[in-house]
Amino acid sequence: MTLDDAPPPVLSITPWQWLRRNLFNTWYNSLLTLICLWLLFQVLQAVLGWVFTQAQWTVVQTNLRLFFIGRYPPNLAWRLWLVLGIVVGLAGLSWGSLAPARSLWSKRGVSIVTAIALGVTILLPLPLPPRLWLGAIALLLFGSFWLGKRFATLLKPQLAWAWLGAFPILLWLIGGGLGLRSVSTNFWNGLLLTMLLATTSIVLAFPFSVLLALGRQSNLPVVRWFCTLFVEIVRGLPLIGILFLAQVMLPLILPVELRLDRLLRAIAGLVLFNAAYLAENVRAGLQAVPRGQSEAARALGLNPLWVLWLIVLPQALRVVIPAIVGQFISLFKDTSLLSIFALVELTGIARSILAQPQFLGRYAEVYLFVGLLYWIVCYSMSIASRRLEQHLGVGHKRT
C-alpha cells in the first residue's frame, strides 16, 4: 500500500475538547454560543410549554381513524391491515438483505423501531383489534429483518420483483373485486389516499421517465424532438396547471365510453409532470456513463438492447439515486395539491376535521400532526436512499 492509498489518520477527541475547540475557542465565540443557547432554551421552553399544557390533542385522538384511512368502511379495515403487513414484511426483508453483514446500526435500528412500535401500541388509547394488529406488524418487521439477513444472498436478487408483484395485490386488497367487496374511491381518504397516489405515480412515472431520457438521446430525429418537446413543455408549466388539465381536459379528449375516475385523472397528471423532471435526472446519469463502456460491450458481441439493459442503465441509475429520491419526496408532498380537486387526501381530511363544530380553531394541533406524518414518510425515504447508496457504493470510486 502506497502513502496515497492509505486512509487518513483518525483523530479521537473528547466531547469537552470538541466544545472548547469549536464553540469556546475565543471570547466572542463563547459569547455567541451562550446567546444562542439562551435563545434555544427560550424557544424550547415556549414550544414544550404549549405542547404539554395548552394544546388540546383530543382533536387528533378522536380523529385518528379519519387521519389514516378516512371514510374507508370500518368493517373492511382488516384489508388495510393486511396491506400494511405486506409492505412492512417486504420492507423488513429489504432492510435485512441490503444491510451490511456486520452493521450494528441496522440491528439496533430495527430493534429500536420495533420497540417504538410496541410502545405506541401499548400507550395509544386504541381499541383492542388495532392494538393486536399493530403489535403483530411490529413483530413481523423484526422477524422479516432477521429472515432477510439470514437469507440475504437468496433474497437480494428477488426483492425488486417481490415489490413489483406485491403492488397489484395491494391495489386489489384496497379496492376489492375478484371475490372481495368493492370499495369506491370516494371512500379512499387520508394518509391511505396520499400514500396510494404517491406510490402509484412513482411506479408509473419512473419507467416513463427512462423512456423519455432514452428518447432524448435517440438518433431518430422524430423521437428525439418529440421527447424534448414533451419534457420542455411540461417543465414550463406549473403542477397545478397540469393537474387542472388532467381533471378537465382528459374527459373531453377520451371517448365517451371511457370515463376515467378523478383519482385516475389525478394520477395521470402527477405521472406526466414528474416523468418530465425524472427524465432529466436519468439523462444526467446516462451522460455520466463513459462512451467506452458501450463500445466495449458491443465489441464483446452484445446487441444494443442488452448493452442498454446490462451496462448503461445500471450505472446511470446508480449515479442519480439521490436526485431521483429527491423527486420522489417532492412528488409525495405535491399530492397535497389534490385537495383542491375534492380528493380528500391527508391535507383535505385535515380541513374536514377542522370543520367539525367541537374542534373549530384547532389549526395548530391538526396541522402539526399532519406535518409530523409527512416528515416521517419523507425522512424514511431519505434513510432508505442513503442505505441504498451505501450498499451500491455511490460516491466511492470503484477499483
Side-chain angles (χ1 to χ4, degrees):
M1 179 183 292
T2 65
L3 187 60
D4 292 337
D5 296 332
V10 178
L11 299 177
S12 176
I13 58 174
T14 63
W16 174 245
Q17 289 173 327
W18 185 91
L19 287 172
R20 289 199 61 181
R21 183 177 301 177
N22 294 281
L23 301 179
F24 298 98
N25 53 344
T26 61
W27 68 268
Y28 47 87
N29 274 347
S30 302
L31 183 62
L32 283 174
T33 301
L34 291 176
I35 291 174
C36 291
L37 286 176
W38 180 79
L39 287 174
L40 189 62
F41 173 75
Q42 293 296 323
V43 171
L44 280 178
Q45 187 183 28
V47 170
L48 293 178
W50 179 84
V51 168
F52 290 108
T53 61
Q54 298 179 30
Q56 297 181 17
W57 298 108
T58 314
V59 60
V60 175
Q61 179 184 337
T62 308
N63 295 289
L64 266 181
R65 190 178 65 82
L66 285 178
F67 276 116
F68 285 100
I69 63 173
R71 294 184 299 146
Y72 200 87
N75 59 328
L76 300 179
W78 61 271
R79 283 155 50 173
L80 301 183
W81 286 114
L82 278 183
V83 167
L84 183 60
I86 293 172
V87 172
V88 168
L90 285 174
L93 285 176
S94 306
W95 191 357
S97 302
L98 298 178
R102 297 181 180 178
S103 171
L104 286 176
W105 188 95
S106 298
K107 295 173 185 174
R108 288 174 185 166
V110 73
S111 302
I112 291 171
V113 171
T114 305
I116 290 174
L118 289 175
V120 167
T121 305
I122 295 170
L123 295 177
L124 279 184
L126 297 173
L128 183 60
R131 284 176 189 269
L132 295 177
W133 275 108
L134 277 175
I137 289 172
L139 295 176
L140 175 65
L141 173 66
F142 192 77
S144 58
F145 171 82
W146 286 104
L147 194 64
K149 206 157 189 59
R150 177 72 176 80
F151 300 102
T153 309
L154 181 67
L155 292 174
K156 205 179 294 182
Q158 315 301 331
L159 284 176
W161 299 112
W163 280 103
L164 285 177
F167 190 66
I169 298 174
L170 301 182
L171 290 179
W172 171 62
L173 283 172
I174 295 172
L178 300 176
L180 290 180
R181 179 181 153 191
S182 296
V183 179
S184 168
T185 55
N186 292 327
F187 296 105
W188 302 5
N189 309 135
L191 184 63
L192 166 68
L193 181 59
T194 298
M195 295 296 295
L196 191 70
L197 282 167
T199 309
T200 310
S201 302
I202 287 171
V203 170
L204 296 178
F206 183 66
F208 190 27
S209 67
V210 173
L211 292 177
L212 283 173
L214 294 174
R216 289 202 69 172
Q217 293 196 325
S218 172
N219 294 324
L220 300 174
V222 175
V223 175
R224 187 172 64 251
W225 292 342
F226 172 78
C227 294
T228 304
L229 196 63
F230 176 85
V231 170
E232 296 303 334
I233 288 177
V234 172
R235 288 205 309 165
L237 295 173
L239 175 58
I240 191 72
I242 299 284
L243 292 175
F244 183 79
L245 287 173
Q247 291 291 334
V248 177
M249 297 300 293
L250 273 182
L252 301 177
I253 297 171
L254 296 174
V256 178
E257 60 273 12
L258 185 59
R259 288 294 180 188
L260 290 181
D261 185 83
R262 59 180 174 171
L263 180 63
L264 294 178
R265 282 178 270 158
I267 291 174
L270 287 173
V271 168
L272 292 177
F273 184 81
N274 287 282
Y277 280 87
L278 282 170
E280 290 303 279
N281 294 333
V282 175
R283 191 167 69 90
L286 291 173
Q287 290 178 341
V289 179
R291 187 178 295 273
Q293 299 270 342
S294 306
E295 293 172 354
R298 288 195 199 96
L300 290 174
L302 293 179
N303 62 43
L305 187 61
W306 285 116
V307 171
L308 185 67
W309 183 254
L310 297 176
I311 307 296
V312 178
L313 273 182
Q315 297 184 73
L317 296 179
R318 174 175 165 270
V319 170
V320 293
I321 285 175
I324 289 176
V325 175
Q327 188 62 34
F328 287 168
I329 291 175
S330 174
L331 189 157
F332 176 74
K333 292 185 291 184
D334 286 344
T335 56
S336 60
L337 285 175
L338 293 171
S339 62
I340 299 172
F341 303 100
L343 284 168
V344 192
E345 41 70 61
L346 194 52
T347 312
I349 206 73
R351 290 163 62 184
S352 66
I353 289 171
L354 287 169
Q356 297 174 7
Q358 66 271 34
F359 299 124
L360 290 176
R362 297 292 100 201
Y363 293 98
E365 292 87 344
V366 169
Y367 283 116
L368 272 176
F369 183 69
V370 169
L372 178 66
L373 293 179
Y374 273 107
W375 178 81
I376 289 174
V377 177
C378 293
Y379 189 59
S380 302
M381 292 169 72
S382 179
I383 290 177
S385 166
R386 286 208 296 269
R387 297 297 155 207
L388 186 59
E389 289 170 32
Q390 288 177 2
H391 176 72
L392 296 176
V394 177
H396 298 279
K397 191 179 290 185
R398 290 190 168 182
T399 57

